[in-house]
Amino acid sequence: MTTLSPEILGTLEGQAIELPSWAFGNSGTRFRVFPTPGTPRDPREKIADAAQVHAFTALAPSVALHIPWDKVEDYGALRSYAEDLGVRLGTVNSNTFQDEDYKFGALTHHDERIRRKAIDHHLECIDIMHETGSRDLKIWLAEGSNYPGQNDMRARQDRLQDSLQQIYARLGEDQRLVLEYKFFEPSFYHTDVPDWGTSYAQVAALGDKAMVCLDTGHHAPGTNIEFIVMQLLRLGKLGSFDFNSRFYADDDLIVGAADPFQLFRILVEVVRGGGLNNPDVAFMLDQCHNIEDKIPGQIRSVLNVQEMTARALILDREALDAAQQANDVLGAHAVFMDAFSTDVRPALAQWRESRGLPADPMAAYAASGYQQKIAEERVGGAQAGWGA
Amino acid sequence: MTTLSPEILGTLEGQAIELPSWAFGNSGTRFRVFPTPGTPRDPREKIADAAQVHAFTALAPSVALHIPWDKVEDYGALRSYAEDLGVRLGTVNSNTFQDEDYKFGALTHHDERIRRKAIDHHLECIDIMHETGSRDLKIWLAEGSNYPGQNDMRARQDRLQDSLQQIYARLGEDQRLVLEYKFFEPSFYHTDVPDWGTSYAQVAALGDKAMVCLDTGHHAPGTNIEFIVMQLLRLGKLGSFDFNSRFYADDDLIVGAADPFQLFRILVEVVRGGGLNNPDVAFMLDQCHNIEDKIPGQIRSVLNVQEMTARALILDREALDAAQQANDVLGAHAVFMDAFSTDVRPALAQWRESRGLPADPMAAYAASGYQQKIAEERVGGAQAGWGA
Amino acid sequence: MTTLSPEILGTLEGQAIELPSWAFGNSGTRFRVFPTPGTPRDPREKIADAAQVHAFTALAPSVALHIPWDKVEDYGALRSYAEDLGVRLGTVNSNTFQDEDYKFGALTHHDERIRRKAIDHHLECIDIMHETGSRDLKIWLAEGSNYPGQNDMRARQDRLQDSLQQIYARLGEDQRLVLEYKFFEPSFYHTDVPDWGTSYAQVAALGDKAMVCLDTGHHAPGTNIEFIVMQLLRLGKLGSFDFNSRFYADDDLIVGAADPFQLFRILVEVVRGGGLNNPDVAFMLDQCHNIEDKIPGQIRSVLNVQEMTARALILDREALDAAQQANDVLGAHAVFMDAFSTDVRPALAQWRESRGLPADPMAAYAASGYQQKIAEERVGGAQAGWGA
Amino acid sequence: MTTLSPEILGTLEGQAIELPSWAFGNSGTRFRVFPTPGTPRDPREKIADAAQVHAFTALAPSVALHIPWDKVEDYGALRSYAEDLGVRLGTVNSNTFQDEDYKFGALTHHDERIRRKAIDHHLECIDIMHETGSRDLKIWLAEGSNYPGQNDMRARQDRLQDSLQQIYARLGEDQRLVLEYKFFEPSFYHTDVPDWGTSYAQVAALGDKAMVCLDTGHHAPGTNIEFIVMQLLRLGKLGSFDFNSRFYADDDLIVGAADPFQLFRILVEVVRGGGLNNPDVAFMLDQCHNIEDKIPGQIRSVLNVQEMTARALILDREALDAAQQANDVLGAHAVFMDAFSTDVRPALAQWRESRGLPADPMAAYAASGYQQKIAEERVGGAQAGWGA
């Protein structure tokens, strides 16, 4: 059995992956959202489910909120509720894609009334962050247009910068703004922040507290994502990851499910660039469990990240450097693949047990009866989804 | 002004493009469906709107139905209603992607009860076709899986063939089955009919009354769609088109909006292969007017197809053949581009007027007051969408 | 250490992967072909190198030839030379992309003289096959056009069928024709056999001795290749694989290097569909070692296929079936990933040793001194490449 | 006939598109470079051919050089030769992809000797620029790796910045450096400058004389290129265009041939962002005439750019703005498409004649006998290609 060094285990012990509250609600495609028994009906039930993931893995100590989906009367109470369950409230995600007013834009809109409303929504999010103790405000800009000519892309870019400046100005001393980019969807001709270059240019103009959020599913086909990870780390602007995986568009599948080797390469660059266990670089999931069970879906996800991190950490850097210096293409590639091909699962299972965690968190969760319990108890009321 | 020959005008006069009833209901993305004033609340209102498109263009004499979205008590009455408005009921589209039972498959499902239910749904559609006078049953197979290993693709393919045979057996003498393929969505790992080859192999095994449906938005990036049009015409298996356009995935934008040159190339191959005004090859739209007005969106769409058909028809085939025979790459390309670059709009406007149609159908519709009328009248009730 | 059952080892023992003679010559991009010391200068030296791959792995008992690159006076003598080195001569590949006459087409050309020449070239290849004892004639149709309008795609398709029929008619009783498809390149607008559907339609019209060749690098971005493998096996028309890997276009990288999980999924479908150790389904490599050493590049490639075959064979089919039947998405995926995540390398190394093979063929080759020997001996003369 | 206003004609009169000297030499794919009668054998013959393009169109007053392909003893004499023919020498392109030393990198190489050599090559290019009177040094960084693990991407990025700084320091007062990015090829795993973000980050760190070069063929499938044009103009960093078109990868087809609507959209953004006839934004072609005649291929290309510029200029900005402000999606799109659909060719032909130019430059060139003349005269010697 491959063993993991104390140093590597120490590093793995520090790993924390934030869970998105919305992963516990229902999701689907434009064609259909299939409901599931036991789905949470309010933010507390989402947090309770997230706490299960952490309880079985010790990997997910915080939960990201989405406003307005997770709006509550008393955020202080929600915070206490979470902390009692052993998790923290994390990143606050704004939403400018569902209000009727935002049909044609929000932070980029030419109508000052609507743009003001969108800015104010973000200021409200910052207010919530003070109550929840959250550090990061994440902005995914779902804005754009569907037809050439529909909008003035240039003017929108300028208005976006102005809007972001107003939001940025409200950030607290220790708070940050992370700006997510996305190749396309829900807009089909142009998106206002479609690539890392645009996000980088926008946040660089704001200041040190503004960073880029890299969602692993938000790129054009064939994009070398680990290169972008490397570049943003080099530029000091990689603020956070939204992990998931994809075969086609923004499929939002379980991270590591579609291309485990890509996840490995990304984590190798994270390690290489000092992004692991670095407070500047937040690890988050952003996924949709359309047809699979949600809590085990999240458990599988954080385990996948952990497993690939372990493989990235056992990469023999000295041997790799030597082969690279010698222009030994096959030799360097072999060192790289050796780390990827190594089965670290038995060692991780053993280590989990040594920490009082289940060796197999998936099996342990299945055996816990929690899924049956929520399926039975959560009857009546409206299941949470992307609208609530 | 470029003129169009009597022969070309005669051909254009025969052009008919079927409208999808669902284009008049609300649609959107998984993130949001924005409602619009005046949206139909039942099949009759959809047909009334479709009839408007035909009234202003003489291009859209029939309306496709979607079952169960367009279920009514009395299809004979619906048929009369449509005919009174000057349009026919056309293709019947089945739906195996929204029932809870179909979460993991329908015509491909390993559970015989569910597969039986899906087959029966299609038999019911055929019954409806007899009442509506429809010729074509269109099957878009939204089935597949999201994760490698989730399903046995091979067994599903065999069950699909068996299901289709049962459906095929029920077809009337003059009825057809058209099988649509789609690259991906709503499934993100595998789709049971993902490409024209699979659709072709499946329908070829059924018989002469089974054909392929080509949706212009359902291909991998970079696919040469006109090549597939050519091939299916050559094989005698192009049953129908679902027209729309896309920049990324299945964007379902207005046909010709994203890449007008591609639409031109497709229509050149249709003409070349004898697919124009050929009863075997049905022209249909399949689009989503997420943010634009629906009726003018449909008018714009049929006009785009008409305009590109006219450009395809003025292609100087003799000059093209001569240049091709001479291996004159630039010469042949120039002949081809000359047809595409020619502005046929004035000639088409003049011709419309000569037929008692508005020269500018978009302007005429806007001036008609119909949009205001339905916005005022259609208050209350549930607006139609993809769920109803 | 994971162990491999006797049954699995027996299956692995039967595995044979054909090597392409051209992999041992120089290759590159349109920008540059970098030479390498020791590169063969004639077919015999290529075969000698290929024999090394087999000697260290017992996986590569045959070598594919490319005509005219591997033209010799006496094929019988070449055959004996190969057999003395422990390998056979395999598939014969034709070439219709380099002769001046073929600039605008070959088997599809409108000029009957040129088309005749191209057909005759294939008849010559069949004659060679009789001398070399080869079973398969592989046709990669590099024909197409660069500009819309340049050619009549439909007429070319018909001429292609006619040309193939003439070639097919000459095949010996036990010989086959395999028709390769490719998404694009060297043509940039249309390719005459761009997808599996076209290849399938063409060979189905020929007869039982005509099959499809699937090159893993010849698909549009995002294509689910294992689905095509499944479908062609189901249709009884998967004649051969050209293995390689890619990140972008037809990169021709070492098989398994770009997406090892994809290679695993392909081999799972091969096993599922009865394609393993099935004489109807030939395994071949088709790669370019532009910057890495060629012989170890080929050794690495066959080892990658072997390793992924082993992982595919340890897939717990019973557990997978049970989870699939239960619609247990995460469970089925877990069974699938468990096979992929298992490190079979130690077991394979042990088994190799038990058969008198080196545990680590890469290291053994490096230690053998062969590379240094050919670098020293093969001085003078023209290094083989894609032109010779 | 659509007429063009004096203001628009004045703008068009100022348009200048630089031709690449290498477009007149032979080019092809990795499979084959087909020669053509009349192909230049040295830089003077290339310039003579380029001068023909300008003579027939008045659109191409300068020629870009490629070093070492266009190396001569006396650049002053070459400059005079060009000026006597009515054209200027333009951008100097460096080459770090063909020397044996650059197999694994040049400006990014870990070997200081090789990196020094690559930097010195660029300093030599700057020296040449002083002699030729060129303003721009264009760097296309063909560097990267083929296999994951082969190289340390991060260290290469830092070395690249260091190399560029040394080159930048040598630029004359009025000289510039433009850094081109490319998605992939000739490297197939990672490319050191793969996207506009990387090019932007690299040149922004250099200073005002460093800009980005946007090659229209160097993007991932589906990329909204006009968005990048808009963004780079907004950031003041769009230094130059390399125009061409593509269906798949970097096909280097005639600009406007594959997607004329995309070219239109790009030029609309150029006009919108003040990039037309702006000395900061150089227009260049970068194409390969693999199978078509080269001089008429270049004439067609500059005419395509001119035609699409004219369509972009007739766009009714007031009507567009009004529709955009009203959120009138279909109205704005219609204004946009109206400009694209308008046939400006007759007006351009008339205007050409009024300036003493041929109405139809393609026909005039064909009638001139120049092609026959060079085919007869240029016999013997080695035809120019990408190696010379």
Side-chain angles (χ1 to χ4, degrees), chain B residues 358-374:
Chain B
D360 181 346
M362 292 291 283
Y365 172 75
S368 74
Y370 184 83
Q371 193 76 34
Q372 291 73 14
K373 183 168 152 291
I374 57 175

Side-chain angles (χ1 to χ4, degrees), chain A residues 110 148-152 154 157-158 189 194-198 220 224 226-227 231 234 272 324-325 327 332-333, chain D residues 110 148-152 157-158 189 194-198 220 224 226-227 231 234 272 324-325 327 332-333:
Chain A
H110 57 82
Q150 179 188 330
N151 270 124
D152 183 341
R154 168 72 177 263
Q157 203 67 208
D158 293 338
Y189 164 57
D195 52 25
W196 79 263
T198 294
N224 183 326
E226 59 269 28
F227 182 92
Q231 188 68 275
R234 178 180 171 267
R272 166 65 180 89
Q324 289 175 347
Q325 295 298 320
N327 293 323
H333 181 60
Chain D
H110 58 82
Q150 179 188 330
N151 269 123
D152 183 342
Q157 204 68 207
D158 293 336
Y189 163 58
D195 52 25
W196 79 263
T198 295
N224 184 326
E226 59 269 27
F227 182 92
Q231 188 68 275
R234 177 178 172 269
R272 166 66 179 89
Q324 288 175 346
Q325 294 298 320
N327 293 323
H333 182 60

Side-chain angles (χ1 to χ4, degrees), chain B residues 110 148-152 157-158 189 194-198 220 224 226-227 231 234 272 324-325 327 332-333, chain C residues 110 148-152 154 157-158 189 194-198 220 224 226-227 231 234 272 324-325 327 332-333:
Chain B
H110 58 83
Q150 179 188 330
N151 270 123
D152 183 343
Q157 204 67 208
D158 293 337
Y189 164 57
D195 51 26
W196 79 262
T198 295
N224 184 325
E226 59 268 27
F227 182 92
Q231 188 69 275
R234 177 179 172 270
R272 166 68 179 87
Q324 288 175 348
Q325 294 297 321
N327 294 323
H333 181 60
Chain C
H110 58 81
Q150 179 188 329
N151 269 125
D152 183 341
R154 168 73 176 263
Q157 204 66 209
D158 293 336
Y189 164 58
D195 51 25
W196 79 264
T198 295
N224 183 327
E226 59 269 26
F227 182 92
Q231 188 69 277
R234 177 178 172 268
R272 165 68 179 89
Q324 288 175 348
Q325 294 298 320
N327 294 323
H333 182 60

Side-chain angles (χ1 to χ4, degrees), chain D residues 247-260:
Chain D
F247 287 97
Y248 304 96
D250 184 34
D251 305 343
D252 279 326
L253 301 180
I254 287 173
V255 55
D259 187 349

Side-chain angles (χ1 to χ4, degrees), chain B residues 176-195:
Chain B
R176 308 190 309 171
L177 174 165
V178 291
L179 181 62
E180 189 169 337
Y181 61 91
K182 184 173 180 179
F183 187 48
F184 80 98
E185 197 211 19
S187 291
F188 298 127
Y189 164 57
H190 108 271
T191 294
D192 288 300
V193 185
D195 51 26

